[in-house]
Amino acid sequence: MLRSLVGSEMCIRDSDQPLSGVRVIEWATVVAAPSVGQLLAVLGAEVIKVEHPENRDLARDMMLFTMPGRNGQLHPDGTSMHASGFDAVNRSVKAVALDLGTRRGRSRFLGLVESADVLLTNTLTESCHKLGMGLEQLQQRNPRLIVAHLQAWGDKGTMVDVPGYDFGCFFAATGLSRLFQSEGKYHVYPAAFGDMATGLCLFASIVTALVRQAATGRGGLIEVSLYEVGIWSVGAHMLEGGGFEENPGDTLLHTRDHKIVATQCDPQDVTAVLGHDPHAAAAKLDLGELCTKLDGSFVRYTKEPPPLFVGTDHLPPKVKALVLPPLCGDMQWDSPMPFSFERHSFLLAPAPTLGQHQHLVDAPRDWSRAPQVGSGRPDAMV
């Protein structure tokens, strides 16, 4: 049962689970978006995860080669076992396999979408259009559908269709990585921390949209990105006078052609290749030259590292690094909130002074009819 803030009620079926009767189609991979699907499923939603029959969710295979009890082993149903990290964000969901590159696969997928309350995806906008399934088109097929889109860099600017992970988008590009570094030490970032934080923002946005859907029958488009949640998360630190000082042990290398390479390795591995001052050495090299020098340095971490970032077309295959834009660069972010509804910004009133609205409690008032205070409601979007 889902209750709206305005008092109307949507009775799906008799159940104690708050999202019982809500159907979610999850077309997503790795950590951030699937973590949202798991949260919705735990609260009672029917979450149906869609994967390719052969190219399954990347999270199923992440670090699987380090797990002898799972690597190469089979489930009782004959399918290959997956990595333990997949369990962390995919429990309680259902799974189907569809090849969306075929007409039959797309037809079945569209049937699911037309029956759903929510479509949860982190598929690139460009990839959706190539399949003939643009997010706006999907929402038009089902006006009640809430399309929840998780992106790397946001829905504006030239980085819209550039993929990324939390290491690059949430930590490095926002400056947060500076707070997790010590000179001369291996840089340890909390695994999937940015993914989970972004997932929580998207989860809250979906629940908010479900409230509106219950009251009005309207769906809509929600967009949340790793980069924007990172900027939002570090906002208080910056407003309080915090900053990100240059760190001698930092392995964010700035190249001669104004690219940034964020390496995931021990600083000693970088100095072994570039010398005692890797920053000065990198500044004399173009991106391709730097990547060529680094090639082979990170092979001990994984035999076949997946392409973590597509910021350039000429990264040597074994370089485990992310090519980043300059801090804030050509990305655009014009909302004070870490999400957007239907690509609108939200109006926020100034923070109140102490006791500014004292009249609300000093005068007799029928609180059952009290209007909402604040202008951050969906009906106050611009």
Side-chain angles (χ1 to χ4, degrees):
M1 180 179 295
L2 183 66
R3 294 180 181 274
S4 77
L5 292 177
V6 295
S8 64
E9 190 176 89
M10 181 177 70
C11 298
I12 304 299
R13 67 171 183 248
D14 187 16
S15 174
D16 292 333
Q17 294 179 299
L19 296 183
S20 176
V22 173
R23 170 172 283 187
V24 179
I25 306 305
E26 179 192 307
W27 180 25
T29 62
V30 197
V31 176
S35 74
V36 182
Q38 178 173 274
L39 288 172
L40 295 169
V42 168
L43 290 175
E46 179 189 30
V47 179
I48 302 175
K49 183 180 182 71
V50 178
E51 297 176 80
H52 191 278
E54 297 176 0
N55 301 321
R56 60 188 194 171
D57 187 339
L58 292 174
R60 289 189 184 271
D61 299 302
M62 280 187 172
M63 304 304 292
L64 183 59
F65 69 94
T66 68
M67 305 171 191
R70 292 179 176 236
N71 191 24
Q73 304 301 311
L74 299 178
H75 289 291
D77 63 2
T79 59
S80 299
M81 294 193 74
H82 53 251
S84 56
F86 182 81
D87 292 318
V89 292
N90 286 280
R91 289 168 293 183
S92 299
V93 307
K94 300 175 181 179
V96 299
L98 293 175
D99 183 355
L100 301 185
T102 67
R103 182 177 299 177
R104 183 183 183 188
R106 288 192 298 273
S107 176
R108 291 186 173 185
F109 179 77
L110 291 174
L112 288 174
V113 168
E114 290 171 358
S115 72
D117 299 289
V118 180
L119 171 64
L120 169 63
T121 186
N122 61 356
T123 306
L124 294 175
T125 302
E126 182 180 17
S127 298
C128 294
H129 285 295
K130 285 181 178 179
L131 290 170
M133 299 192 301
L135 299 181
E136 292 86 354
Q137 293 173 282
L138 295 178
Q139 207 276 324
Q140 289 172 2
R141 295 180 72 98
N142 177 2
R144 285 181 52 83
L145 183 69
I146 297 165
V147 178
H149 192 200
L150 192 147
Q151 300 166 289
W153 302 101
D155 60 359
K156 300 179 180 68
T158 60
M159 302 291 288
V160 169
D161 280 312
V162 177
Y165 287 76
D166 74 339
F167 172 73
C169 308
F170 184 88
F171 283 109
T174 65
L176 272 167
S177 59
R178 301 286 190 182
L179 305 179
F180 289 89
Q181 297 172 351
S182 299
E183 183 175 353
K185 293 184 178 180
Y186 176 65
H187 301 168
V188 179
Y189 301 91
F193 183 89
D195 291 320
M196 303 302 277
T198 303
L200 282 173
C201 287
L202 184 56
F203 169 75
S205 301
I206 291 172
V207 173
T208 302
L210 283 170
V211 169
R212 185 177 74 168
Q213 184 194 71
T216 68
R218 291 173 54 197
L221 175 64
I222 303 169
E223 291 170 299
V224 173
S225 74
L226 292 163
Y227 172 71
E228 290 170 318
V229 172
I231 290 289
W232 179 70
S233 300
V234 81
H237 173 78
M238 299 300 290
L239 289 173
E240 291 176 2
F244 305 106
E245 298 179 358
E246 190 67 28
N247 189 323
D250 180 24
T251 49
L252 293 179
L253 303 175
H254 298 249
T255 65
R256 181 172 58 191
D257 52 346
H258 308 294
K259 302 292 185 182
I260 302 175
V261 172
T263 58
Q264 300 186 76
C265 63
D266 192 305
Q268 293 180 355
D269 288 343
V270 177
T271 55
V273 177
L274 299 179
H276 71 282
D277 190 348
H279 296 89
K284 298 177 182 178
L285 301 172
D286 289 337
L287 174 65
E289 296 170 332
L290 175 60
C291 289
T292 298
K293 280 185 172 291
L294 293 176
D295 189 19
S297 298
F298 313 114
V299 176
R300 65 190 178 94
Y301 290 99
T302 173
K303 295 179 181 178
E304 296 292 338
L308 295 182
F309 199 81
V310 187
T312 178
D313 294 330
H314 54 276
L315 275 176
K318 293 181 180 179
V319 172
K320 190 175 183 182
L322 309 176
V323 181
L324 305 172
L327 183 60
C328 295
D330 57 0
M331 293 164 284
Q332 299 177 26
W333 189 55
D334 59 6
S335 173
M337 304 302 289
F339 48 75
S340 70
F341 276 76
E342 298 168 356
R343 295 183 177 161
H344 292 294
S345 299
F346 284 79
L347 295 173
L348 267 73
T353 59
L354 178 63
Q356 181 178 346
H357 303 97
Q358 191 69 19
H359 64 279
L360 295 177
V361 293
D362 287 344
R365 192 173 183 86
D366 181 359
W367 286 103
S368 65
R369 298 181 181 178
Q372 294 181 3
V373 177
S375 55
R377 304 186 306 274
D379 60 353
M381 296 185 296
V382 295

